[in-house]
Amino acid sequence: MPLPRLSRYLPILSWARTYDRDTATSDLVAAVIVTIMLIPQSLAYALLAGLPAEMGLYASILPLVAYALFGTSRALAVGPVAVVSLMTATAIGQLGLSEPADIALAAVTLAFISGVFLALLGVLKLGFLANFLSHPVIAGFITASGVLIAASQLKHILGIDAGGHTLVELVISIGEHIGETNLITLVIGIGATAFLFWVRKGLKPLLLKAGLNRRLADVLAKAGPVAAVVVTTLLAWGFGLDERGVKLVGEVPTGLPPLSAPSFDLSMWQTLLLPAILISVIGFVESVSVAQTLAAKRRQRIDPDQELIGLGASNVASAVSGGFPVTGGFSRSVVNFDAGAETPAAGAFTAVGIGLATLVLTPLLFFLPKATLAATIIVAVLSLVDFSILKKTWVYSKVDFTAVTATIVLTLLVGVEIGVSAGVLLSIFLHLYKTSKPHVAEVGLVPGTHHFRNINRHDVETLDGVLTLRVDESLYFVNARFLEDLVLERVAKCERLEHVVLMFPAVNEVDMSALETLEELNRRLAEQDITLHLTEVKGPVMDRLKRSHFLQDLSGEVFLSQYDAWCALKPGAAEGSERERVAAQ
Amino acid sequence: MPLPRLSRYLPILSWARTYDRDTATSDLVAAVIVTIMLIPQSLAYALLAGLPAEMGLYASILPLVAYALFGTSRALAVGPVAVVSLMTATAIGQLGLSEPADIALAAVTLAFISGVFLALLGVLKLGFLANFLSHPVIAGFITASGVLIAASQLKHILGIDAGGHTLVELVISIGEHIGETNLITLVIGIGATAFLFWVRKGLKPLLLKAGLNRRLADVLAKAGPVAAVVVTTLLAWGFGLDERGVKLVGEVPTGLPPLSAPSFDLSMWQTLLLPAILISVIGFVESVSVAQTLAAKRRQRIDPDQELIGLGASNVASAVSGGFPVTGGFSRSVVNFDAGAETPAAGAFTAVGIGLATLVLTPLLFFLPKATLAATIIVAVLSLVDFSILKKTWVYSKVDFTAVTATIVLTLLVGVEIGVSAGVLLSIFLHLYKTSKPHVAEVGLVPGTHHFRNINRHDVETLDGVLTLRVDESLYFVNARFLEDLVLERVAKCERLEHVVLMFPAVNEVDMSALETLEELNRRLAEQDITLHLTEVKGPVMDRLKRSHFLQDLSGEVFLSQYDAWCALKPGAAEGSERERVAAQ
């Protein structure tokens, strides 16, 4: 049966067979709405990425078709998105290029590397690597990126030349050039921003109140950016605003995307490799989380490894058609879903819409003020900014708070790449650090039960001459030595100690380093005539211990439950009679 | 009380106050024996590090005094050691220097950076970072280094010019030059090696049989290398072997170490920084593990953070007196301990011995064949080589086996720095990977007890309509999504399910990402009219959950013990009457 294998890599084979007219209609409606959103967004994100406007359109055609073939999400809308566009700008900025053709080539190459990397991860089924980004780190990174993106667009609102890839650089550069502000541009920029905020918050309730049905009100509210584009373009054309210093999009070539090929220049690859990997990972995480959320609402499932292949194919498609890195965006995907998209075909229909736009609309874009595009970006990204993650993590976990704070601060002050890398590494390090000094509780019997709890938290009974410690962590190289020191220290504080019982219900692993430590501990305690027992050792850990000499050398016993140990070590318990050696369990 | 604070950083203050004649005698005897070992070793390790012989002597004077002032181990013998010398050669090799003065300056600089780094870690109390090197990785690294060191000395045994920093490079280079082998050198080299092996294995039993007392037999056995040095030097002098192509140590300046200062050239620091960090960490791990082993034998303790300061001071002392990186060596420390050293003063006495050697013995070293030194190195390091760690880890844990294999292979084939770095990173990654797919067991009641175990391993009772899962891992960002998927998958397989109970005795942490996943799981189960309960949630985890909304939103309850949950969910249990909400525990 070759078909199931093929449909694993080509999910289209599974949904296309049952595709019918009703589904097509739903997909088509969704596609129209997404196209209306995507035209200004694609132009704006190209601007954000430091690329010519048409590249935004090119990145919104073939990549959508590629995802429709290879993707598993029924509602994901692929294309240029804000955070990835910002990271693209940063990555290309590192090359220090000035020729527009070189910059475009770098963007295409970045998309290519990113696409190949994503597809490779997918084929190797390494999608789980995205889990190494914790939720707070992602939330912090998105928030900081939103602030950075908004700040980077201020120059277009003011109509000045300014630059920089960090918040400080941006603020200083804007400060230096603020005297050159073009007032007409500023009016257009602020007007468009205010209008778009109003559309987002105030228009829909108004339309509903006026008696429009919900779907139409939705569509009209989504068309806000298009209205802003049309009105400001007409103003610029009517009043000849380009002659009054208002910066316009200018000439945009008409026609479908050209064929393009990435550069294979080694030094360019060396510079772009790490940024491409970060762009891939961030893009994948954003995309897969929205895809998963939407799939869950309809009780569907997505396959993260196949998603990697889908996004990889999209980026390779972007690279061969003059685009730049793309991924599944949050806002357009939600709109696509709400508008009723049922299959990835909706994405293909959107691609047709954008294709038509490149054939028909491009001459009209000449008079579009850049300030309008900046306004659409600012309004879009400010909805991503949510500092509440700081408060949430502060209350819940200082470790998470530290990671998210570092991510936000470093992203804003040093840059997106350092910010997200530091967040990931710090959260891993802090996790390991926490496990390096595990919580160890002395426990006793909760009266009337067979249950043992911390003597400091619960009113429990203990036995004379017996120290029972519950080890609240897997034992591995990072904390092996710590446990040995801690047990010996506690033992040194007790008088007339005969037994040490280590309760292992929370020990999910005992690696080679920890095994050596346990052997050493057993030996050191035996020297002091103290017997070492283990209780509640889990099956997988026990299986492993049986492969070593430890169980033979252990001075005491391994009890199935802590209560068994209690009964056996209780004064008066007949030596050995109640003890059950469970080495054979 | 300024004294306790000062004595924290100057441990000498605590032992010097009770220093008496008996202790001095013990220390002196040990110092004499260690000096006899150290003279040939220090020359040999300088050769291994690619440095002039006198630098080995210089690295064995002031550093020992510095450690005596700042170190906490009573028996550690500081000075040049094999692995650190090899790493020094590799690090300096990267600078591509040819002038002897430049090479010496680089060695001094490396010792300085390493010393400052170690002292800094000590002051910041970051000694625990050494725990990130697992035992198998260290064992594998030492073994591979031993092989590499022995291979690097073959050229001296053969009397040829050959080079290289990896096993392949060394073998190829020796192969190319093997035709140039000097037969007299080869005879001396093989003779010295065979003699030293015999001294190590066969001499002591012979001496004991001859009626010598144990201590004298020990001293004579340790003096083997000195005998080899004396005999081969006499041979070289008597037969004028230098004129027959035997390479000799040559001119060694007479006199105490010169004052020296590290270079502060930025590009040299950039190249040496990472090697210096690796040398520091490896040196510290080797040193602290032997110090800990020896301290435990006399029921003493060492302070790892103060050890960092002691070793840091030693390396800075080495840098200002024309030496190279040093650490506490395994073999000399054991000898020092066995010979009766009671305080770090033994090290200071050894320093005096080596100081005398620089004043008196250096002219005699002119005729010492390099092949003899190479023989002492080979015999010393082959005792470090122990491939049994491969077998041990293979049997016990494939994860540890993978890490140790990677360390050995990469150290031999790519180099010491890549080898040990890869070992550390791989062991951390594999640990995280293992926790990313935690073991989750369905459990039931062991009849006649209050204890719950895996239904696949034990004969247990379960309740209809209740799925009880024991989660065998802390929940954090790396495995949060995995748990959600796994629980929903198991739930999908059950019919008429009413309750899901998650048993948390092994959950030592629930971070922000995992909390969000639990909230999502609670919501998704509620949609299917399934109640989610938690049991045996540990105190620290419960404290944290109480700071979130999760406990309010939870559809079910948190039971103190799994048995409580069993009683409450058992058919016939009066709804609510037996249930105890333990949110207030």
mmCIF file of all heavy atoms in Angstrom, chain A residues 394-418:
data_model
loop_
_atom_site.group_PDB
_atom_site.id
_atom_site.type_symbol
_atom_site.label_atom_id
_atom_site.label_comp_id
_atom_site.label_asym_id
_atom_site.label_seq_id
_atom_site.Cartn_x
_atom_site.Cartn_y
_atom_site.Cartn_z
ATOM 1 N N TRP A 394 5.806 36.417 37.708
ATOM 2 C CA TRP A 394 6.303 36.911 39.000
ATOM 3 C C TRP A 394 5.551 36.237 40.141
ATOM 4 O O TRP A 394 6.136 35.792 41.126
ATOM 5 C CB TRP A 394 6.156 38.426 39.066
ATOM 6 C CG TRP A 394 6.493 38.994 40.417
ATOM 7 C CD1 TRP A 394 5.627 39.380 41.387
ATOM 8 C CD2 TRP A 394 7.813 39.199 40.943
ATOM 9 N NE1 TRP A 394 6.316 39.818 42.477
ATOM 10 C CE2 TRP A 394 7.660 39.725 42.249
ATOM 11 C CE3 TRP A 394 9.103 38.995 40.437
ATOM 12 C CZ2 TRP A 394 8.746 40.042 43.052
ATOM 13 C CZ3 TRP A 394 10.182 39.313 41.249
ATOM 14 C CH2 TRP A 394 9.995 39.825 42.533
ATOM 15 N N VAL A 395 4.221 36.155 39.983
ATOM 16 C CA VAL A 395 3.410 35.539 41.030
ATOM 17 C C VAL A 395 3.657 34.039 41.092
ATOM 18 O O VAL A 395 3.795 33.461 42.163
ATOM 19 C CB VAL A 395 1.903 35.804 40.769
ATOM 20 C CG1 VAL A 395 1.035 35.004 41.729
ATOM 21 C CG2 VAL A 395 1.610 37.284 40.872
ATOM 22 N N TYR A 396 3.778 33.414 39.919
ATOM 23 C CA TYR A 396 3.777 31.950 39.897
ATOM 24 C C TYR A 396 5.153 31.335 40.070
ATOM 25 O O TYR A 396 5.323 30.354 40.781
ATOM 26 C CB TYR A 396 3.129 31.447 38.608
ATOM 27 C CG TYR A 396 3.002 29.952 38.575
ATOM 28 C CD1 TYR A 396 2.066 29.317 39.388
ATOM 29 C CD2 TYR A 396 3.843 29.179 37.801
ATOM 30 C CE1 TYR A 396 1.973 27.952 39.404
ATOM 31 C CE2 TYR A 396 3.750 27.803 37.809
ATOM 32 C CZ TYR A 396 2.807 27.190 38.617
ATOM 33 O OH TYR A 396 2.707 25.829 38.636
ATOM 34 N N SER A 397 6.152 31.891 39.384
ATOM 35 C CA SER A 397 7.461 31.228 39.409
ATOM 36 C C SER A 397 8.567 32.210 39.066
ATOM 37 O O SER A 397 8.618 32.750 37.966
ATOM 38 C CB SER A 397 7.458 30.059 38.424
ATOM 39 O OG SER A 397 8.760 29.766 37.988
ATOM 40 N N LYS A 398 9.473 32.413 40.029
ATOM 41 C CA LYS A 398 10.550 33.376 39.812
ATOM 42 C C LYS A 398 11.503 32.903 38.716
ATOM 43 O O LYS A 398 12.128 33.722 38.036
ATOM 44 C CB LYS A 398 11.335 33.591 41.109
ATOM 45 C CG LYS A 398 10.499 34.173 42.248
ATOM 46 C CD LYS A 398 10.037 35.586 41.957
ATOM 47 C CE LYS A 398 9.155 36.116 43.098
ATOM 48 N NZ LYS A 398 7.809 35.475 43.143
ATOM 49 N N VAL A 399 11.616 31.592 38.556
ATOM 50 C CA VAL A 399 12.486 31.079 37.495
ATOM 51 C C VAL A 399 11.938 31.496 36.133
ATOM 52 O O VAL A 399 12.660 32.012 35.287
ATOM 53 C CB VAL A 399 12.602 29.542 37.603
ATOM 54 C CG1 VAL A 399 13.167 28.955 36.329
ATOM 55 C CG2 VAL A 399 13.479 29.165 38.775
ATOM 56 N N ASP A 400 10.640 31.266 35.921
ATOM 57 C CA ASP A 400 10.029 31.679 34.662
ATOM 58 C C ASP A 400 10.122 33.194 34.503
ATOM 59 O O ASP A 400 10.381 33.700 33.406
ATOM 60 C CB ASP A 400 8.553 31.234 34.617
ATOM 61 C CG ASP A 400 8.418 29.755 34.242
ATOM 62 O OD1 ASP A 400 9.145 29.318 33.349
ATOM 63 O OD2 ASP A 400 7.582 29.068 34.843
ATOM 64 N N PHE A 401 9.932 33.913 35.614
ATOM 65 C CA PHE A 401 10.009 35.374 35.556
ATOM 66 C C PHE A 401 11.394 35.815 35.091
ATOM 67 O O PHE A 401 11.526 36.702 34.239
ATOM 68 C CB PHE A 401 9.694 35.964 36.941
ATOM 69 C CG PHE A 401 9.863 37.459 37.005
ATOM 70 C CD1 PHE A 401 8.888 38.297 36.483
ATOM 71 C CD2 PHE A 401 10.996 38.021 37.563
ATOM 72 C CE1 PHE A 401 9.049 39.673 36.521
ATOM 73 C CE2 PHE A 401 11.166 39.394 37.608
ATOM 74 C CZ PHE A 401 10.183 40.221 37.089
ATOM 75 N N THR A 402 12.431 35.177 35.635
ATOM 76 C CA THR A 402 13.795 35.537 35.249
ATOM 77 C C THR A 402 14.012 35.314 33.756
ATOM 78 O O THR A 402 14.560 36.170 33.055
ATOM 79 C CB THR A 402 14.803 34.684 36.045
ATOM 80 O OG1 THR A 402 14.472 34.777 37.429
ATOM 81 C CG2 THR A 402 16.219 35.157 35.821
ATOM 82 N N ALA A 403 13.556 34.160 33.269
ATOM 83 C CA ALA A 403 13.759 33.843 31.850
ATOM 84 C C ALA A 403 13.013 34.830 30.959
ATOM 85 O O ALA A 403 13.555 35.315 29.960
ATOM 86 C CB ALA A 403 13.301 32.412 31.563
ATOM 87 N N VAL A 404 11.789 35.169 31.335
ATOM 88 C CA VAL A 404 11.005 36.047 30.472
ATOM 89 C C VAL A 404 11.553 37.472 30.537
ATOM 90 O O VAL A 404 11.621 38.179 29.522
ATOM 91 C CB VAL A 404 9.495 35.965 30.811
ATOM 92 C CG1 VAL A 404 9.174 36.566 32.138
ATOM 93 C CG2 VAL A 404 8.675 36.654 29.753
ATOM 94 N N THR A 405 11.995 37.894 31.711
ATOM 95 C CA THR A 405 12.565 39.237 31.832
ATOM 96 C C THR A 405 13.839 39.352 30.997
ATOM 97 O O THR A 405 14.034 40.333 30.264
ATOM 98 C CB THR A 405 12.890 39.547 33.307
ATOM 99 O OG1 THR A 405 11.718 39.329 34.078
ATOM 100 C CG2 THR A 405 13.336 40.979 33.481
ATOM 101 N N ALA A 406 14.694 38.350 31.100
ATOM 102 C CA ALA A 406 15.927 38.372 30.311
ATOM 103 C C ALA A 406 15.594 38.422 28.822
ATOM 104 O O ALA A 406 16.219 39.166 28.054
ATOM 105 C CB ALA A 406 16.772 37.137 30.625
ATOM 106 N N THR A 407 14.605 37.628 28.414
ATOM 107 C CA THR A 407 14.228 37.613 26.998
ATOM 108 C C THR A 407 13.774 38.997 26.549
ATOM 109 O O THR A 407 14.217 39.503 25.511
ATOM 110 C CB THR A 407 13.086 36.597 26.766
ATOM 111 O OG1 THR A 407 13.466 35.342 27.312
ATOM 112 C CG2 THR A 407 12.790 36.450 25.293
ATOM 113 N N ILE A 408 12.882 39.616 27.331
ATOM 114 C CA ILE A 408 12.350 40.920 26.931
ATOM 115 C C ILE A 408 13.467 41.964 26.906
ATOM 116 O O ILE A 408 13.648 42.690 25.912
ATOM 117 C CB ILE A 408 11.214 41.349 27.894
ATOM 118 C CG1 ILE A 408 10.000 40.445 27.691
ATOM 119 C CG2 ILE A 408 10.843 42.807 27.669
ATOM 120 C CD1 ILE A 408 8.832 40.738 28.606
ATOM 121 N N VAL A 409 14.234 42.045 27.991
ATOM 122 C CA VAL A 409 15.259 43.090 28.093
ATOM 123 C C VAL A 409 16.302 42.921 26.981
ATOM 124 O O VAL A 409 16.658 43.885 26.294
ATOM 125 C CB VAL A 409 15.924 43.052 29.487
ATOM 126 C CG1 VAL A 409 17.145 43.952 29.519
ATOM 127 C CG2 VAL A 409 14.916 43.480 30.548
ATOM 128 N N LEU A 410 16.773 41.692 26.794
ATOM 129 C CA LEU A 410 17.818 41.488 25.787
ATOM 130 C C LEU A 410 17.285 41.677 24.375
ATOM 131 O O LEU A 410 17.988 42.185 23.507
ATOM 132 C CB LEU A 410 18.439 40.091 25.940
ATOM 133 C CG LEU A 410 19.305 39.942 27.194
ATOM 134 C CD1 LEU A 410 19.735 38.498 27.394
ATOM 135 C CD2 LEU A 410 20.539 40.831 27.085
ATOM 136 N N THR A 411 16.047 41.283 24.125
ATOM 137 C CA THR A 411 15.472 41.499 22.795
ATOM 138 C C THR A 411 15.395 42.988 22.496
ATOM 139 O O THR A 411 15.771 43.443 21.412
ATOM 140 C CB THR A 411 14.069 40.862 22.703
ATOM 141 O OG1 THR A 411 14.181 39.472 22.985
ATOM 142 C CG2 THR A 411 13.470 41.055 21.324
ATOM 143 N N LEU A 412 14.936 43.751 23.473
ATOM 144 C CA LEU A 412 14.797 45.193 23.250
ATOM 145 C C LEU A 412 16.153 45.874 23.124
ATOM 146 O O LEU A 412 16.351 46.732 22.274
ATOM 147 C CB LEU A 412 14.005 45.832 24.397
ATOM 148 C CG LEU A 412 12.514 45.498 24.440
ATOM 149 C CD1 LEU A 412 11.872 46.129 25.655
ATOM 150 C CD2 LEU A 412 11.819 45.974 23.169
ATOM 151 N N LEU A 413 17.086 45.496 23.999
ATOM 152 C CA LEU A 413 18.330 46.269 24.084
ATOM 153 C C LEU A 413 19.449 45.716 23.226
ATOM 154 O O LEU A 413 20.338 46.464 22.823
ATOM 155 C CB LEU A 413 18.795 46.368 25.536
ATOM 156 C CG LEU A 413 17.802 47.059 26.476
ATOM 157 C CD1 LEU A 413 18.425 47.247 27.838
ATOM 158 C CD2 LEU A 413 17.353 48.406 25.906
ATOM 159 N N VAL A 414 19.465 44.423 22.978
ATOM 160 C CA VAL A 414 20.586 43.861 22.213
ATOM 161 C C VAL A 414 20.135 43.364 20.846
ATOM 162 O O VAL A 414 20.866 43.470 19.874
ATOM 163 C CB VAL A 414 21.275 42.725 22.986
ATOM 164 C CG1 VAL A 414 22.532 42.267 22.258
ATOM 165 C CG2 VAL A 414 21.612 43.157 24.397
ATOM 166 N N GLY A 415 18.928 42.833 20.764
ATOM 167 C CA GLY A 415 18.447 42.379 19.469
ATOM 168 C C GLY A 415 17.651 41.092 19.586
ATOM 169 O O GLY A 415 17.713 40.400 20.598
ATOM 170 N N VAL A 416 16.919 40.801 18.518
ATOM 171 C CA VAL A 416 16.024 39.662 18.546
ATOM 172 C C VAL A 416 16.758 38.334 18.687
ATOM 173 O O VAL A 416 16.315 37.433 19.393
ATOM 174 C CB VAL A 416 15.131 39.608 17.283
ATOM 175 C CG1 VAL A 416 13.986 40.579 17.410
ATOM 176 C CG2 VAL A 416 15.919 39.885 16.024
ATOM 177 N N GLU A 417 17.908 38.216 18.005
ATOM 178 C CA GLU A 417 18.575 36.906 18.007
ATOM 179 C C GLU A 417 19.150 36.580 19.379
ATOM 180 O O GLU A 417 18.960 35.481 19.898
ATOM 181 C CB GLU A 417 19.670 36.879 16.938
ATOM 182 C CG GLU A 417 19.060 36.876 15.544
ATOM 183 C CD GLU A 417 20.071 37.129 14.452
ATOM 184 O OE1 GLU A 417 21.277 37.228 14.744
ATOM 185 O OE2 GLU A 417 19.643 37.254 13.295
ATOM 186 N N ILE A 418 19.868 37.551 19.953
ATOM 187 C CA ILE A 418 20.421 37.347 21.287
ATOM 188 C C ILE A 418 19.281 37.153 22.283
ATOM 189 O O ILE A 418 19.352 36.299 23.174
ATOM 190 C CB ILE A 418 21.270 38.569 21.715
ATOM 191 C CG1 ILE A 418 22.437 38.773 20.757
ATOM 192 C CG2 ILE A 418 21.755 38.417 23.149
ATOM 193 C CD1 ILE A 418 23.548 37.786 20.906
#
